[in-house]
Amino acid sequence: MIIYLGLLFGCLGVYWTYVKLSSYNNKLIPKIPKKFNLNNFRVCFKELSKWLIYAGEYSNDVGCVSKFNYGPVVVYVVSNPEDASTVLTRCTSKSFVYDLIKPYVGSQLIASDYPVWKRNRRLLDLAFKQNILNGYVAMFNKRADALVIDMSKEINKEVDFTHLFSRYLLGTACYTTLGVNVNDQEVSIDSYLKSVDKLIKIMLNRFVQPWLLLDFVFKFSELKKEQDVALEIVQNFSEEVIRKKKMQFALNSDNPGDVDEDNAESLLDILIKNRNEDEISDRNMREIVDNVILAAYDSNVYMMLYILVCIGSYPEVQKKVYDEVISVTGQTDRDITHEDLPKLVYLEAVVKEAIRLYPAGPIVGRVTTFDTQLKEYVLPAGCQVIVHLGAINRNKEHWGQDADDFRPERWFDSLPKHPAAFSSFSPGRRSCIGKSYSIMLLKTMAVKIIKKFNISSDDKKLDFEFGLFLKPIAGHHIKLELR
Ligand code: HEM
């Protein structure tokens, strides 16, 4: 008995010393100086993006781990690939900020608990296999051709293409990943896009006015009423998508020979087929669809804009891309095949370089489930951590002194050794499932655009807003001329 008690007290003593040491250690973690007033919600979008960029730079300057206070909560910021991998592999719970987007995305995927995520991710993995993605390239071509016709109406002047790209890429995401045409929906694409915008603004307003994080306060606010209206529109849109797919599905099961080849295994087919076995209710299915639509179209809209800004700012890069595109696809308007895509190596370097410098989702948040040993510090269990993907992508120790420059050639030099040094799609377990999809889509669209237009822009004028994604304000200053 005495031995057991001795052992117990010994262990408690070791644990106490360890906790003391680790919290002492954490006192040494540099605190990000207060520089921006995030409480003024009228300016929060722009201020938040400035703050995010500043926090990443600060973190890199002080050794890649820093912290700040959000009210009484200490939030740690990590910006080196080693610690990011540790956090994102070991900690599978999302941080409290994800609760804010739950009204919109629900609890089935991006903001879900780990066991629910694991079940649903298995189904998503089936829908994002390479052979399925290859089948999407024909649709990417069709959509890009139509987009280019609309872009031709906007030549010889600076244009913000955000809205046009959103309409096309939302349609593309639904047609491919969900296998449904949304152009004739009762809830129009435009009202869907407006409502998503509204929901993101409401979420940010709650973030910068923390008393609105309390549900019983928020419940009585004007914002809650606005949220209900926007949510109804967004949810009606995805419910209509599911209804259409179920009808197609019923028709095809009546006539098994009559399968729509283009969409034989879209994510929605897989969800509908597995709903009984995996106990996926209609509501769960709608939430998964909401997640996929959001993740698929918005990120790519901003990435397409950044790619055009980068190509348009560097004439020598533009010429190289054009020459490569012509040598692989010829002068005609023929469709790009999935076999063409790997041959466009310079274009791929340009796309990846833009995604490295301007990742659409520049941060992810986790809670430490256990005491987590980083390279130099221990984060005790229960800590809120932001992994700053944008800052990791510009970490000079890994990318060199020119990490802030747009230089596609670096993808042919010796790349950083650490696999998480290019973090835009998030390392670790809950990483982006759409990485290959995005690169294939962005390359196909870029080919069609570059064959038709000379692009000019100026990346030095880039200015950002942060909603759920880091987006360029006003497009940003892209000008097209017909070739
Ligand atoms: C270049 C464009 C994209 C970027 C930079 C990007 C980035 C990311 C990041 C950083 C995450 C992790 C989010 C987190 O942990 O909170 C994520 C998750 C996700 N992304 Fe993407 N994404 C892109 C495009 C896409 C596309 C096109 C799709 C779908 C077709 C997609 C589907 C998803 C899904 C479903 C998740 C949640 C995964 C999960 O929780 O298992 N993404 N994305």
Side-chain angles (χ1 to χ4, degrees):
M1 181 67 179
I2 292 176
I3 295 175
Y4 283 133
L5 275 176
L7 269 176
L8 180 69
F9 283 117
C11 289
L12 282 174
V14 169
Y15 181 69
W16 185 83
T17 317
Y18 172 69
V19 169
K20 273 282 159 207
L21 276 179
S22 49
S23 58
Y24 170 73
N25 199 4
N26 286 348
K27 280 193 189 131
L28 302 178
I29 294 179
K31 194 164 178 184
I32 303 174
K34 261 199 170 165
K35 243 188 145 181
F36 298 96
N37 175 15
L38 295 181
N39 296 330
N40 183 349
F41 67 89
R42 276 178 232 290
V43 291
C44 69
F45 282 82
K46 223 172 148 184
E47 295 293 285
L48 208 51
S49 69
K50 276 194 206 147
W51 185 84
L52 264 184
I53 293 165
Y54 168 72
E57 285 168 357
Y58 181 85
S59 187
N60 278 351
D61 285 349
V62 296
C64 299
V65 182
S66 56
K67 66 184 176 193
F68 67 95
N69 275 79
Y70 176 74
V73 183
V74 181
V75 182
Y76 295 90
V77 178
V78 166
S79 65
N80 65 44
E82 298 85 354
D83 289 341
S85 295
T86 307
V87 171
L88 295 173
T89 309
R90 296 202 66 206
C91 312
T92 47
S93 301
K94 299 270 173 130
S95 79
F96 73 97
V97 182
Y98 289 75
D99 288 343
L100 279 175
I101 56 170
K102 273 190 181 162
Y104 172 17
V105 300
S107 308
Q108 291 298 309
L109 196 62
I110 293 176
S112 68
D113 293 335
Y114 184 64
V116 173
W117 170 81
K118 209 170 160 195
R119 178 198 68 187
N120 292 336
R121 177 69 184 226
R122 188 180 57 77
L123 296 176
L124 253 74
D125 283 336
L126 297 175
F128 281 82
K129 288 191 174 151
Q130 192 58 46
N131 62 327
I132 294 180
L133 300 185
N134 289 345
Y136 292 161
V137 178
M139 179 50 60
F140 293 166
N141 275 281
K142 245 191 235 175
R143 303 290 300 166
D145 285 337
L147 172 68
V148 162
I149 292 175
D150 273 353
M151 289 173 80
S152 310
K153 298 171 193 156
E154 305 284 356
I155 52 170
N156 302 329
K157 57 183 180 199
E158 281 188 2
V159 178
D160 178 358
F161 285 110
T162 311
H163 187 67
L164 186 66
F165 286 5
S166 300
R167 303 190 83 246
Y168 271 96
L169 289 173
L170 174 60
T172 310
C174 292
Y175 209 106
T176 51
T177 56
L178 307 175
V180 171
N181 178 2
V182 290
N183 286 332
D184 57 350
Q185 296 257 121
E186 269 170 40
V187 178
S188 73
I189 289 185
D190 279 342
S191 52
Y192 177 86
L193 292 172
K194 247 191 228 154
S195 304
V196 169
D197 227 37
K198 184 100 230 170
L199 288 174
I200 293 172
K201 285 196 169 117
I202 292 169
M203 183 202 97
L204 276 193
N205 280 331
R206 289 185 77 186
F207 182 75
V208 293
Q209 302 173 88
W211 56 95
L212 288 176
L213 293 178
L214 304 169
D215 278 336
F216 69 89
V217 178
F218 179 61
K219 213 157 80 181
F220 297 105
S221 69
E222 269 309 301
L223 285 181
K224 171 73 168 71
K225 287 184 203 144
E226 292 175 28
Q227 176 174 289
D228 289 344
V229 175
L231 269 182
E232 197 181 338
I233 294 173
V234 167
Q235 291 174 356
N236 283 344
F237 184 90
S238 31
E239 273 161 13
E240 201 179 336
V241 168
I242 296 171
R243 250 195 328 274
K244 278 185 183 166
K245 189 73 209 178
K246 279 185 177 166
M247 269 165 64
Q248 277 177 24
F249 206 80
L251 279 175
N252 285 339
S253 3
D254 289 346
N255 309 293
D258 187 20
V259 177
D260 178 354
E261 286 294 326
D262 269 357
N263 304 307
E265 280 298 332
S266 77
L267 174 64
L268 257 182
D269 289 89
I270 293 169
L271 290 175
I272 292 170
K273 272 190 208 164
N274 289 276
R275 74 186 143 175
N276 293 334
E277 199 184 313
D278 285 294
E279 293 172 3
I280 298 172
S281 66
D282 281 356
R283 184 190 164 132
N284 293 351
M285 198 179 305
R286 202 242 311 127
E287 289 184 1
I288 296 174
V289 166
D290 285 336
N291 278 255
V292 172
I293 299 180
L294 169 77
Y297 88 87
D298 230 9
S299 52
N300 273 336
V301 168
Y302 304 122
M303 287 324 311
M304 198 64 234
L305 290 168
Y306 288 124
I307 290 166
L308 296 189
V309 169
C310 290
I311 292 179
S313 304
Y314 299 89
E316 64 294 353
V317 170
Q318 182 156 191
K319 179 165 184 333
K320 274 188 175 175
V321 172
Y322 182 75
D323 290 348
E324 182 184 76
V325 165
I326 296 301
S327 82
V328 173
T329 68
Q331 291 280 5
T332 64
D333 285 344
R334 80 158 172 85
D335 276 359
I336 320 302
T337 63
H338 70 84
E339 288 96 347
D340 291 330
L341 291 174
K343 296 181 195 153
L344 296 160
V345 285
Y346 189 70
L347 176 60
E348 177 144 336
V350 167
V351 167
K352 284 189 176 160
E353 185 68 347
I355 296 177
R356 178 184 74 82
L357 284 174
Y358 308 110
I363 50 168
V364 293
R366 298 289 187 272
V367 183
T368 50
T369 343
F370 316 93
D371 290 354
T372 304
Q373 174 72 57
L374 304 183
K375 272 195 327 182
E376 290 185 25
Y377 303 100
V378 177
L379 300 182
C383 281
Q384 299 286 331
V385 189
I386 284 182
V387 177
H388 202 307
L389 309 176
I392 297 172
N393 287 347
R394 289 171 180 246
N395 186 314
K396 292 197 167 63
E397 203 186 303
H398 292 265
W399 289 96
Q401 285 311 308
D402 65 353
D404 290 330
D405 299 345
F406 176 77
R407 195 172 65 80
E409 282 69 19
R410 77 174 75 245
W411 292 88
F412 305 106
D413 301 344
S414 59
L415 282 169
K417 301 267 175 307
H418 200 287
F422 177 50
S423 264
S424 304
F425 295 98
S426 183
R429 299 216 197 146
R430 300 182 74 161
S431 65
C432 177
I433 203 163
K435 179 178 175 188
S436 302
Y437 176 104
S438 280
I439 293 182
M440 291 169 79
L441 170 70
L442 294 168
K443 281 172 83 175
T444 309
M445 297 234 160
V447 167
K448 295 280 181 177
I449 293 172
I450 199 113
K451 274 179 109 167
K452 187 84 178 174
F453 307 108
N454 257 315
I455 304 157
S456 47
S457 186
D458 185 354
D459 61 350
K460 306 286 175 295
K461 288 191 194 157
L462 268 172
D463 202 359
F464 307 94
E465 268 183 17
F466 184 71
L468 280 186
F469 296 98
L470 189 65
K471 53 184 179 176
I473 292 175
H476 195 95
H477 302 294
I478 295 166
K479 192 170 156 192
L480 306 173
E481 283 165 24
L482 287 172
R483 280 192 188 271

